[in-house]
Amino acid sequence: MSEGEFNFYVPQVHFELIPISNLVSNQNYQRDLSQTHIEKAAMNFDPYQINPVKVSLRDGVNYVFNGQHTIEIVARASGSRDTPVWCMIYDDLSYAHEADIFANQQKFIKSLTPYEVFVANIEAGNEQQMMVKALVESYDIELGGKRQNGMICAISTLEAIFQRCGYHVLDRVLRLIIGTWEGDMISLSANFLNAVARLVEVYGDKLDDQQFKEKVGALSAKHISRTAKERQAGSMGYAEAMVLQYNGRRKNSAFMLPIKWLYSKRDSSSIFDVLEEPDSDDSDDAKGLNDDDSPDDDDWGED
């Protein structure tokens, strides 16, 4: 193939540093700006994470058709709209062509799974992921992307519990689950992890670890899962099922876990309402076809 024949596969663009104040975005085909996303990314600004902004030079105006969040993040972090950003400039696009590119740019992109992101963080030596990995492996449990006995695939859930509740809560959650169900695949799902984390946070020392293992462990993880979905969706259903089994037929209320506490503490435990899995054991997730929680959409250059 001659050099000229390769031109079909190479976009006809040039790169230029352009001040943000000279860029125009918010065309009708673009989504609304997310101020929450802009604030979060600006607070964690890293110039190595910035993608080139795609710009269509049309009628003498620099129209941004991919990267409107990127320019707002840079402007917020730098405190100035005079800050320049690298732009990948197209000179031959119409408005309709820009909209078509925007609509179809993600069609053939495969997003990273939480596990793939986690592995990259391990390779980078990032402390949080290294601590989570070491903690999980201390219980002879693996981290992976395919659900099976002895393997946790709910990576985002592990990280969320660690971030919001701390190392010791996550340690106790793993100790309770693994000590109770011995690495059963279903017990290592996001809903189980979130439910037990909720119990640890809500009941603290009132939750007796040995009683939990004996009383709640009398039921299989699959039975807990089926009972949970009959009560309500998400990890709250699992938490309820565990509390009811823990209390059993006890008459001494001093040793019972008041189930109403689950709801009185709910507003302060919003972590457990975010990363959930389908309730049914017969779902694709339970069969290992959807092996983890959904990743957050934090791509800087995709608008």
Side-chain angles (χ1 to χ4, degrees):
M1 187 177 290
S2 67
E3 183 176 343
E5 291 176 295
F6 285 118
N7 289 339
F8 175 80
Y9 305 99
V10 181
Q12 301 304 302
V13 300
H14 65 277
F15 287 84
E16 185 178 335
L17 274 171
I18 300 178
I20 294 169
S21 58
N22 292 345
L23 299 172
V24 175
S25 61
N26 286 331
Q27 280 71 259
N28 288 337
Y29 55 77
Q30 293 178 308
R31 60 184 174 179
D32 294 336
L33 288 170
S34 168
Q35 296 302 323
T36 300
H37 174 72
I38 292 168
E39 291 285 351
K40 178 182 176 183
M43 289 175 60
N44 297 277
F45 183 77
D46 180 355
Y48 289 96
Q49 297 294 332
I50 301 174
N51 292 322
V53 176
K54 288 186 176 180
V55 170
S56 174
L57 180 56
R58 177 166 44 83
D59 300 324
V61 178
N62 296 311
Y63 291 102
V64 175
F65 64 93
N66 187 304
Q68 64 169 349
H69 279 89
T70 297
I71 64 175
E72 296 303 323
I73 291 165
V74 174
R76 184 69 57 84
S78 68
S80 174
R81 299 192 75 81
D82 290 328
T83 307
V85 293
W86 278 110
C87 296
M88 184 177 183
I89 303 172
Y90 295 73
D91 296 310
D92 58 349
L93 302 182
S94 65
Y95 177 85
H97 196 177
E98 295 167 16
D100 181 72
I101 295 171
F102 179 84
N104 294 288
Q105 61 189 345
Q106 299 298 311
K107 185 178 291 185
F108 301 108
I109 292 179
K110 184 180 183 297
S111 299
L112 291 172
T113 66
Y115 177 65
E116 290 167 338
V117 174
F118 187 86
V119 169
N121 275 306
I122 292 296
E123 293 300 309
N126 290 330
E127 183 179 9
Q128 175 184 300
Q129 286 75 20
M130 297 286 283
M131 291 179 70
V132 170
K133 182 176 185 289
L135 179 56
V136 171
E137 291 180 348
S138 72
Y139 287 98
D140 293 324
I141 297 293
E142 297 180 59
L143 293 163
K146 184 71 175 177
R147 287 187 64 182
Q148 55 186 292
N149 291 334
M151 179 173 289
I152 298 179
C153 300
I155 306 298
S156 295
T157 303
L158 287 174
E159 292 181 297
I161 294 172
F162 180 89
Q163 289 169 1
R164 303 191 195 187
C165 303
Y167 178 94
H168 294 293
V169 168
L170 180 58
D171 184 24
R172 190 179 180 195
V173 168
L174 292 171
R175 185 167 67 250
L176 282 170
I177 289 177
I178 296 164
T180 303
W181 293 287
E182 300 180 341
D184 178 273
M185 176 180 70
I186 297 173
S187 73
L188 299 177
S189 66
N191 277 322
F192 266 82
L193 290 164
N194 278 334
V196 176
R198 189 190 291 272
L199 299 187
V200 170
E201 283 287 275
V202 169
Y203 296 108
D205 292 338
K206 189 172 179 64
L207 174 67
D208 183 273
D209 289 15
Q210 191 58 40
Q211 287 295 311
F212 182 92
K213 293 174 185 177
E214 291 178 5
K215 298 292 184 179
V216 185
L219 298 180
S220 69
K222 189 170 187 178
H223 189 108
I224 292 286
S225 181
R226 289 181 173 173
T227 302
K229 75 174 184 177
E230 293 172 358
R231 300 195 62 81
Q232 62 172 297
S235 65
M236 180 60 87
Y238 286 71
E240 286 184 5
M242 292 177 190
V243 169
L244 291 174
Q245 180 63 21
Y246 180 95
N247 289 338
R249 298 180 179 179
R250 294 182 187 180
K251 296 181 179 180
N252 188 342
S253 60
F255 298 100
M256 296 178 68
L257 304 177
I259 198 163
K260 64 181 181 180
W261 286 16
L262 289 175
Y263 302 98
S264 63
K265 302 278 186 175
R266 189 169 192 175
D267 290 341
S268 61
S269 304
S270 58
I271 171 183
F272 309 115
D273 301 317
V274 198
L275 302 167
E276 308 288 9
E277 294 177 325
D279 294 318
S280 173
D281 289 327
D282 298 323
S283 68
D284 285 347
D285 181 77
K287 296 174 184 176
L289 300 179
N290 178 17
D291 295 308
D292 207 334
D293 343 70
S294 299
D296 293 332
D297 182 14
D298 285 333
D299 297 319
W300 279 41
E302 297 177 2
D303 298 296

